[in-house]
Amino acid sequence: MVDKKKIITKNDHEEASTYGAFLIGKIIKQNQNPIANIALSGGKTPILMFEKLSKLTNLNWTKVNIFLVDERYISLDNENSNFNMINKHLLNNIDIPSENIKNINYLNDINEAVKEYKNKIVKEFSLSKEKPNPVFDLIHLGIGDDGHTASIFNPQKVNNEELIDITQGEQFDRITFTYKILNHAKNILFLATGDKKKKIVKEILKNNKRFAAANVENKGNTYFLLDTNAATLIE
């Protein structure tokens, strides 16, 4: 298989965020007939990218579905909620129909929340026994200092027979896409910036399978969008 990993290095976090916003916009426009399906991750690193994405005036958000890659099992207005962050910095600032926002809800039971979210994916992608895997046009991911991505901390402990799984973070239970979804995406965008990320970025690009992010192996494009600090140790 042709290696479709693309390493893109920008001078700083702001330049990387600008490039990321335009790349997401470009992929949306290429796939919005009839509708582009994208999934976004939380964290602090993508905040500026989401703000820049919200200011792109040439995007028709009525032709975009936005899913969440993962979420802490907490109320949506909690400051630790990925949805809360994405809502604040992107969704509240774009003209997107509410039915196009496919978030993970905080229900009475975490298994109910998983089932509800899985059903949204099954319905949107018309999944069946003959077509068991959703193909997202774009999935944006981060890379944790420990090499985790989505809410996959240990690649051996996630159930890839399922689309969605429950994992444990330091403070909260998590609901996350598994590799069954990640590895069928047309485009994966890893965004990692800052000096703290340089060692783990090197390991991921060396394909060190100990780390969750290195196990993302989609057949489409995989973009590693870095700033010069995060890219310091790349040969």
Side-chain angles (χ1 to χ4, degrees), residues 39-41 68-70 133-136 138-142 148-152 158 160 162-164 176-190 212-222:
L40 303 176
S41 295
L68 263 71
V69 171
D70 63 321
N133 302 308
V135 179
F136 278 83
L138 168 75
I139 298 177
H140 151 252
L141 296 170
H148 86 266
T149 197
S151 283
I152 303 174
V158 65
N160 296 304
E162 297 291 340
L163 299 172
I164 309 294
T176 184
F177 281 6
T178 68
Y179 295 110
K180 185 176 175 69
I181 291 182
L182 300 181
N183 287 345
H184 284 90
K186 291 182 188 175
N187 297 280
I188 293 282
L189 170 60
F190 282 108
N215 290 268
V216 176
E217 296 180 318
N218 62 314
K219 293 176 182 175
N221 300 307
T222 305

Side-chain angles (χ1 to χ4, degrees), residues 5-234:
K5 286 184 180 177
K6 302 172 190 289
I7 301 169
I8 301 157
T9 304
K10 297 296 175 182
N11 287 327
D12 53 28
H13 179 74
E14 179 159 3
E15 282 191 16
S17 300
T18 300
Y19 187 94
F22 279 106
L23 180 60
I24 293 172
K26 179 182 176 183
I27 291 169
I28 285 172
K29 284 192 283 187
Q30 288 173 342
N31 292 281
Q32 61 184 12
N33 292 311
I35 196 158
N37 288 295
I38 70 172
L40 303 176
S41 295
K44 294 178 181 177
T45 305
I47 287 175
L48 185 57
M49 181 176 75
F50 293 159
E51 289 176 348
K52 290 175 180 287
L53 180 61
S54 75
K55 293 171 183 171
L56 295 183
T57 57
N58 60 346
L59 293 179
N60 180 359
W61 290 103
T62 66
K63 293 189 173 186
V64 184
N65 285 327
I66 297 179
F67 291 78
L68 263 71
V69 171
D70 63 321
E71 181 61 283
R72 295 169 180 86
Y73 186 56
I74 48 178
S75 61
L76 299 184
D77 58 0
N78 188 297
E79 63 179 9
N80 293 296
S81 161
N82 286 342
F83 174 79
N84 189 8
M85 184 280 281
I86 294 169
N87 195 43
K88 180 178 178 181
H89 296 284
L90 176 64
L91 303 178
N92 279 345
N93 305 312
I94 58 176
D95 189 14
I96 185 168
S98 59
E99 61 266 25
N100 290 25
I101 299 168
K102 317 290 185 181
N103 60 288
I104 302 167
N105 285 312
Y106 181 62
L107 303 178
N108 292 329
D109 177 80
I110 192 168
N111 292 295
E112 284 181 33
V114 169
K115 184 177 179 181
E116 183 195 62
Y117 193 47
K118 178 183 174 182
N119 287 341
K120 289 180 184 179
I121 295 169
V122 169
K123 181 180 178 183
E124 192 58 45
F125 288 90
S126 302
L127 298 185
S128 63
K129 286 185 179 179
E130 292 72 33
K131 183 190 171 188
N133 302 308
V135 179
F136 278 83
D137 298 303
L138 168 75
I139 298 177
H140 151 252
L141 296 170
I143 300 174
D145 296 349
D146 58 357
H148 86 266
T149 197
S151 283
I152 303 174
F153 301 95
N154 183 333
Q156 279 74 47
K157 289 188 176 181
V158 65
N159 181 5
N160 296 304
E161 297 299 313
E162 297 291 340
L163 299 172
I164 309 294
D165 201 8
I166 299 167
T167 60
Q168 280 71 47
E170 285 185 8
Q171 289 181 275
F172 307 102
D173 287 343
R174 309 280 191 105
I175 296 172
T176 184
F177 281 6
T178 68
Y179 295 110
K180 185 176 175 69
I181 291 182
L182 300 181
N183 287 345
H184 284 90
K186 291 182 188 175
N187 297 280
I188 293 282
L189 170 60
F190 282 108
L191 175 67
T193 62
D195 190 65
K196 278 185 172 181
K197 297 292 172 72
K198 65 185 180 184
K199 290 182 179 178
I200 196 63
V201 165
K202 180 183 179 182
E203 292 300 316
I204 302 307
L205 289 172
K206 282 169 57 181
N207 212 25
N208 186 337
K209 299 295 189 188
R210 282 176 46 215
F211 302 105
N215 290 268
V216 176
E217 296 180 318
N218 62 314
K219 293 176 182 175
N221 300 307
T222 305
Y223 299 92
F224 288 86
L225 179 53
L226 314 169
D227 67 357
T228 50
N229 287 329
T232 303
L233 300 179
I234 298 174

